[in-house]
Amino acid sequence: MEFRDLKKQYEVLQPQIDAAIQQVCRSAHFISGVQVEELEHALAEYTGVKHCITCANGTDALTLALMALNIGRGDAVFVPDFTFFASGETAAYEGAVPVFVDVEEDTFNMSPDSLEKAVRKVREEGKLVPRAIVAVDLFGQPADYLRLRSIAKEYGLLVIEDGAQGFGGRIGAKSACSFGDISTTSFFPAKPLGCYGDGGAVFTDNDEWAELMRSYRIHGKGQNKYDNVYIGINSRLDTIQAAVLNVKLEAFRKYELEAVNHAAERYTKELKDIVRVPYIKDGYYSSWAQYSILLKNEKERNGLQIYLKENGIPTMIYYPKPMSRQTAFEGMDCVKTELLVTEELCKRILALPLHPYMTAQEQDKVIDSLKRFLM
Ligand SMILES: *Cc1c(COP(=O)(O)O)cnc(C)c1O
């Protein structure tokens, strides 16, 4: 059994994907081919955002957003403690100080209450300027943007949506990657919409920021590549990756997103009485980057993981360590807040295999094994 079956997906999409890759090889426009622009238009349309700018990966997407918003030295950037390292790494890389915020116990997303406390604390200490929130759509469910945005407004903060795991999610009719002043995503192969290598994108309705990010991603170009008006980076999406994504986006919107939701619902129905299943807020729609359950304690979680492994079922722990406890941040003068929920989640969480091509038989095997271990 695969944790996320990319081989099966390729089997299904092989004729179109092979043809799309061959077309790029024949045209030999490996960088900035027409497929890139085609994809950007399709992604902008899908998310309902004015500008989509692709780039080399989801980490660079966050960097481009921070650069466009001019965030750096002396600034505080509020980041959930329970997320992938890149969410906070990029702010630190730009010279800002990440301030870690605790998450909600049920959705695992940034806690608005904890955010407000952290913002107040930074203000009281007076050493850093509170500038932006990096809200993460963890495991596919959008963060609580209604409340986060109202706090942002009150304290004059910008909102960056880290939608690396959130592409395809929704709140009501509004799509993920449209909730930030600038939003970002990743096309890392295992993300909800993945390519065949690294890839990413930024989204914004703001013309000025869009123009800046278009420039920054190609060495701060002006009129052309050899006219350089800013210090930028080299972060383009390869044409081959764009060609693959054009095919995959079709499958994603036609049936994959629905299929993965169907499979997630099936897990929830079968498991809700024996274990803590993921909680999706009313009116929210998840793209199910992960299906993560909560066990009673670390001992039970670790025991279950070993048991499932012995039964040929792969699982993952996202995340084993709060970001605030990463060695890389040890020397940083971060503002300390209470991060008790994250601490607890790291001990009790376990992600089960889930993807749009998972069969009912495969799911039954996972469900039966869980029942055997826990009941
Ligand atoms: C994967 C991920 C990223 C980084 O994306 P890459 O394409 O791997 O650089 C950033 N934030 C979150 C929450 C992620 O899950």
Side-chain angles (χ1 to χ4, degrees):
M1 190 183 304
E2 299 275 332
F3 184 71
R4 194 163 184 97
D5 201 341
L6 297 173
K7 291 176 198 150
K8 180 84 174 288
Q9 185 194 42
Y10 178 58
E11 251 170 54
V12 174
L13 301 174
Q14 185 171 11
Q16 297 101 294
I17 287 183
D18 287 0
I21 292 175
Q22 271 186 26
Q23 201 184 353
V24 178
C25 295
R26 280 202 205 93
S27 77
H29 289 297
F30 295 108
I31 300 288
S32 308
V34 290
Q35 289 87 343
V36 178
E37 230 176 280
E38 218 175 279
L39 175 70
E40 289 178 345
H41 283 136
L43 292 171
E45 192 233 277
Y46 182 83
T47 53
V49 180
K50 189 169 175 192
H51 303 280
C52 168
I53 300 148
T54 54
C55 61
N57 55 67
T59 306
D60 280 1
L62 287 165
T63 295
L64 286 167
L66 292 161
M67 286 171 81
L69 301 175
N70 197 23
I71 288 165
R73 229 151 269 294
D75 294 336
V77 176
F78 300 87
V79 186
D81 196 29
F82 192 56
T83 176
F84 180 61
F85 189 60
S87 309
E89 174 191 30
T90 43
Y93 188 78
E94 288 303 301
V97 175
V99 177
F100 302 108
V101 173
D102 214 355
V103 295
E104 295 176 321
E105 211 245 337
D106 50 3
T107 65
F108 314 141
N109 276 328
M110 184 186 267
S111 151
D113 292 335
S114 176
L115 170 68
E116 192 156 17
K117 271 190 212 149
V119 177
R120 290 212 175 127
K121 197 156 183 200
V122 169
R123 275 189 159 188
E124 275 161 28
E125 286 188 9
K127 284 189 278 188
L128 298 165
V129 183
R131 282 293 309 283
I133 302 167
V134 175
V136 178
D137 301 337
L138 202 76
F139 304 153
Q141 174 167 219
D144 185 351
Y145 290 100
L146 196 68
R147 285 198 60 205
L148 294 177
R149 291 211 71 106
S150 93
I151 294 167
K153 198 169 164 202
E154 188 176 341
Y155 295 93
L157 306 171
L158 292 156
V159 177
I160 296 172
E161 175 187 4
D162 179 352
Q165 303 178 15
F167 188 83
R170 292 194 294 268
I171 304 175
K174 211 166 150 47
S175 294
C177 297
S178 78
F179 297 114
D181 293 301
I182 299 179
S183 301
T184 67
T185 199
S186 162
F187 304 122
F188 181 83
K191 306 281 165 143
L193 177 64
C195 59
Y196 284 176
D198 278 312
V202 293
F203 300 81
T204 186
D205 285 326
N206 184 296
D207 298 339
E208 201 180 308
W209 293 333
E211 199 184 306
L212 276 173
M213 291 189 287
R214 281 203 180 92
S215 168
Y216 286 146
R217 79 169 156 173
I218 310 182
H219 303 288
K221 78 179 180 78
Q223 295 301 320
N224 60 62
K225 202 174 145 183
Y226 303 104
D227 171 36
N228 306 94
V229 294
Y230 305 110
I231 300 298
I233 58 179
N234 176 22
S235 185
R236 287 166 300 218
L237 181 74
D238 294 346
T239 311
I240 286 183
Q241 301 305 341
V244 169
L245 284 167
N246 281 326
V247 174
K248 286 228 213 168
L249 179 61
E250 271 301 298
F252 185 80
R253 67 204 297 178
K254 275 198 183 135
Y255 64 89
E256 281 186 355
L257 187 56
E258 221 172 290
V260 79
N261 266 274
H262 180 77
E265 272 164 32
R266 199 160 178 276
Y267 265 151
T268 295
K269 186 166 155 270
E270 297 297 326
L271 297 175
K272 67 178 191 313
D273 295 328
I274 56 164
V275 74
R276 256 284 299 280
V277 292
Y279 169 72
I280 305 298
K281 281 192 178 179
D282 217 25
Y284 284 55
Y285 187 76
S286 177
S287 57
W288 295 104
Q290 304 300 339
Y291 189 96
S292 293
I293 57 171
L294 277 187
L295 286 307
K296 278 197 210 76
N297 51 46
E298 192 168 16
K299 186 162 168 270
E300 188 183 69
R301 191 267 310 270
N302 294 351
L304 174 63
Q305 185 172 39
I306 291 165
Y307 179 79
L308 291 176
K309 191 175 174 198
E310 285 166 358
N311 285 277
I313 298 168
T315 58
M316 301 290 278
I317 296 172
Y318 300 117
Y319 293 91
K321 208 177 187 181
M323 193 152 47
S324 56
R325 299 246 244 109
Q326 293 288 358
T327 313
F329 290 122
E330 247 169 36
M332 266 191 112
D333 193 15
C334 295
V335 178
K336 298 279 181 295
T337 58
E338 268 196 346
L339 302 159
L340 300 176
V341 176
T342 300
E343 203 61 50
E344 183 75 11
L345 293 177
C346 290
K347 294 184 187 135
R348 293 171 51 199
I349 206 150
L350 189 69
L352 303 180
L354 179 75
H355 56 84
Y357 300 89
M358 197 166 189
T359 62
Q361 290 88 316
E362 283 176 313
Q363 271 201 297
D364 286 341
K365 185 174 172 186
V366 178
I367 293 160
D368 292 344
S369 304
L370 262 157
K371 284 184 176 162
R372 247 181 285 124
F373 184 82
L374 292 170
M375 285 163 78

